[in-house]
């Protein structure tokens, strides 16, 4: 029977149940926050913010705007071409096709308005700086929509897409500022050490430079385009890997963008430890063909290899980045090659072609020595193995591979710095040892990662027919 007393007790119990459930949900959220991955992301966010602030202060100290300032300026002023629309393409992997068309249309419309306004006020637009603001405004708008209009997994996925696109853009700004810092903070360069050690490989940059000059303007133009558009190749491969994100509502555990960003984060730190400008600057006329001669050790590249003399640090200008050791272009091209191995045949061929062309360009243009490339391959494979190991869980074989790669990379840097004369005097010993060391890391990576691949189930044996009794 209905009783007012019973109804009153039920009404009184509702707030109690709500409070208990809210406390349980709060405890659940707090427990989730304490998970290692959440703590890792929080720590990475705080460290990234601190690094940006420190880099901004360092850039201001040298009289130039830092990455935070340049990123804020591109909301209004003409941005550098490339990264913003590439970042927008990466962000759109989390959107439906209809949303992608809307986002692209809005970005192009905003850019048209910006260009018309700049043309009306006669604003200066140089270096192809016309478009990009629209892509940035769309990405920021999607972040606002994710916070205000999305909930749960949909919000997280959209924020992940926005973060992926903005990271590509912010990485370019941080890289530009960091390269400037290396040129200001490291006036002395170690190119004589690396050039001496490069005798172990037969001075491949000098040989590649002469070959490239013999190809004429066609070869220079093709390799220059490939070298400059490495990030575009990476975005194409990443878009293929992330093509199913919108349908599956989740990102794959490992993809090229992660490796690309980690290589770009760790590699420039080594520039400060081992500052090198490259053979075209230290032993040639400079990249433009005119500047750099007054700072060069000698004007030898690419026709006359340097003689074997006792190396020493040399003073160089405060403009040229010290960005040779290791070769990050080689590391990035190696990562692209690795991540195209599971794609269709066209993508695999493109990844192999891009690796070979990038190696040819880095040597042929005189941007790197041969030993830079060896270090870049070892560096890329070690980073890739560590990231894959982080996803699947640490095991003995993976730890051995990462430890071996890191140890060998350190040994390479130490040998270039402290044993260059021995390497140059005995090239028939040191050269094969360098290549053997690089090959050992390649072999270890291939062998270890094959063990990580899921094995296909064995086919069941064919069922034998039952013996039939003979007819009498």
């Amino acid at each position: 029977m209905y009783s007012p007393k019973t109804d009153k007790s039920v009404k009184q119990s509702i707030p109690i149940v709500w409070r208990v459930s809210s406390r349980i949900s709060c405890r659940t959220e707090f427990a989730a926050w304490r998970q290692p991955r959440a703590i890792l992301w929080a720590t990475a966010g705080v460290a990234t913010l601190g690094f940006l602030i420190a880099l901004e202060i360092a850039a201001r100290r040298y009289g130039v705007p830092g990455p935070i300032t340049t990123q804020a300026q591109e909301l209004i002023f003409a941005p550098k071409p490339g990264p913003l629309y590439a970042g927008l393409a990466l962000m759109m992997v989390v959107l439906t096709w209809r949303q992608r068309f809307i986002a692209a249309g809005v970005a192009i419309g905003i850019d048209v308005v910006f260009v018309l306004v700049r043309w009306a006020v006669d604003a200066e637009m140089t270096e192809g700086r016309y478009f990009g603001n629209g892509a940035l405004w769309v990405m920021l708008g999607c972040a606002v929509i994710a916070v205000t209009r999305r909930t749960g997994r949909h919000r997280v996925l959209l924020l992940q897409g926005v973060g992926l696109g903005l990271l590509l853009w912010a990485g370019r700004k941080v890289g530009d500022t960091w390269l400037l810092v290396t040129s200001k903070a490291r006036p002395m360069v170690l190119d004589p050490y690396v050039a001496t050690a490069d005798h172990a490989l037969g001075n491949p940059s000098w040989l590649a430079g002469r070959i490239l000059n013999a190809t004429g303007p066609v070869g220079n133009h093709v390799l220059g385009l490939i070298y400059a558009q490495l990030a575009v190749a990476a975005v194409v491969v990443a878009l293929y890997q992330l093509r199913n994100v919108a349908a599956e509502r989740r990102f794959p555990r490992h993809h090229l963008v992660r490796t690309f960003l980690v290589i770009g984060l760790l590699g420039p730190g080594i520039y400060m430890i081992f500052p090198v400008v490259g053979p075209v600057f230290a032993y040639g006329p400079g990249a433009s063909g005119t500047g750099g001669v007054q700072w060069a050790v000698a004007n030898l590249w690419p026709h006359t290899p340097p003689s074997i003399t006792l190396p020493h640090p040399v003073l160089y200008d405060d403009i040229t980045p010290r960005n040779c050791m290791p070769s990050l272009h080689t590391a990035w091209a190696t990562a692209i090659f690795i991540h195209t191995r599971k794609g269709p045949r066209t993508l695999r061929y493109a990844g192999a072609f891009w690796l070979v062309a990038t190696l040819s360009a880095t040597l042929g243009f005189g941007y790197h020595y041969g030993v830079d490339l060896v270090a870049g391959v070892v560096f890329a494979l070690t980073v890739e193995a560590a990231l894959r190991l982080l996803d699947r869980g640490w095991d003995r074989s993976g730890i051995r591979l990462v430890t071996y790669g890191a140890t060998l990379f350190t040994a390479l840097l130490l040998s270039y710095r402290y044993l260059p004369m021995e390497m140059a005097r005995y090239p028939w010993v040191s050269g094969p040892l360098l290549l053997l060391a690089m090959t050992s890391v390649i072999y270890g990576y291939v062998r270890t990662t094959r063990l990580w691949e899921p094995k296909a189930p064995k086919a069941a044996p064919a069922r034998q027919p039952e013996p039939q009794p003979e007819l009498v």
Side-chain angles (χ1 to χ4, degrees), residues 86-87 89-91 93 160-161 163-169 231 233-242 251-252 254-265 332 335-336 339 383-384 387:
L90 285 178
M91 187 213 72
V93 298
Q160 285 177 335
L164 198 65
L166 291 179
L167 273 176
L168 186 67
W169 166 62
V235 170
V236 171
V237 176
L239 290 176
Y240 173 78
Q241 291 181 323
L242 304 176
F251 278 85
H254 182 57
H255 49 84
L256 176 62
V257 180
R258 297 180 62 201
T259 306
F260 227 72
L261 291 174
V262 173
I263 288 176
L265 177 66
W332 283 322
I336 291 174
H339 283 264
V383 170
E384 176 70 16
L387 289 175

Side-chain angles (χ1 to χ4, degrees), residues 49-69 177 181:
L49 180 60
F51 176 73
L52 287 175
I53 295 174
L55 199 57
E56 181 76 22
I57 295 173
R60 292 287 181 176
R61 184 179 178 184
Y62 293 118
V64 295
I68 298 177
T69 302
T177 305
V181 171

Side-chain angles (χ1 to χ4, degrees), residues 15-25:
I16 298 175
V17 173
W18 181 83
R19 287 197 298 268
V20 172
S21 62
S22 63
R23 290 177 182 174
I24 293 175
S25 62

Side-chain angles (χ1 to χ4, degrees), residues 54-55 58-60 62 64 174-187 272 321-322:
L55 199 57
R60 292 287 181 176
Y62 293 118
V64 295
V174 172
D176 292 344
T177 305
W178 185 259
L179 292 180
L180 178 63
V181 171
T182 63
S183 64
K184 302 290 186 181
R186 303 293 285 171
M272 299 293 287
R322 280 59 166 155

Side-chain angles (χ1 to χ4, degrees), residues 342-419:
K342 293 184 179 180
R345 180 179 299 178
T346 304
L347 197 63
R348 294 198 303 270
Y349 287 166
F353 169 76
W354 216 272
L355 175 62
V356 174
T358 300
L359 298 182
S360 302
T362 56
L363 293 174
F365 289 125
Y367 295 150
H368 289 281
Y369 303 90
V371 291
D372 300 347
L373 274 60
V374 174
V377 171
V378 174
F379 181 69
L381 292 175
T382 304
V383 170
E384 176 70 16
L387 289 175
R388 294 192 62 178
L389 194 61
L390 184 65
D391 284 329
R392 71 180 306 276
W394 297 89
D395 60 14
R396 183 175 299 179
S397 61
I399 293 174
R400 265 201 312 265
L401 175 61
V402 174
T403 304
Y404 176 69
T407 303
L408 181 59
F409 179 74
T410 305
L412 289 175
L413 296 186
L414 292 175
S415 64
Y416 300 161
R417 178 63 176 82
Y418 297 106
L419 299 174

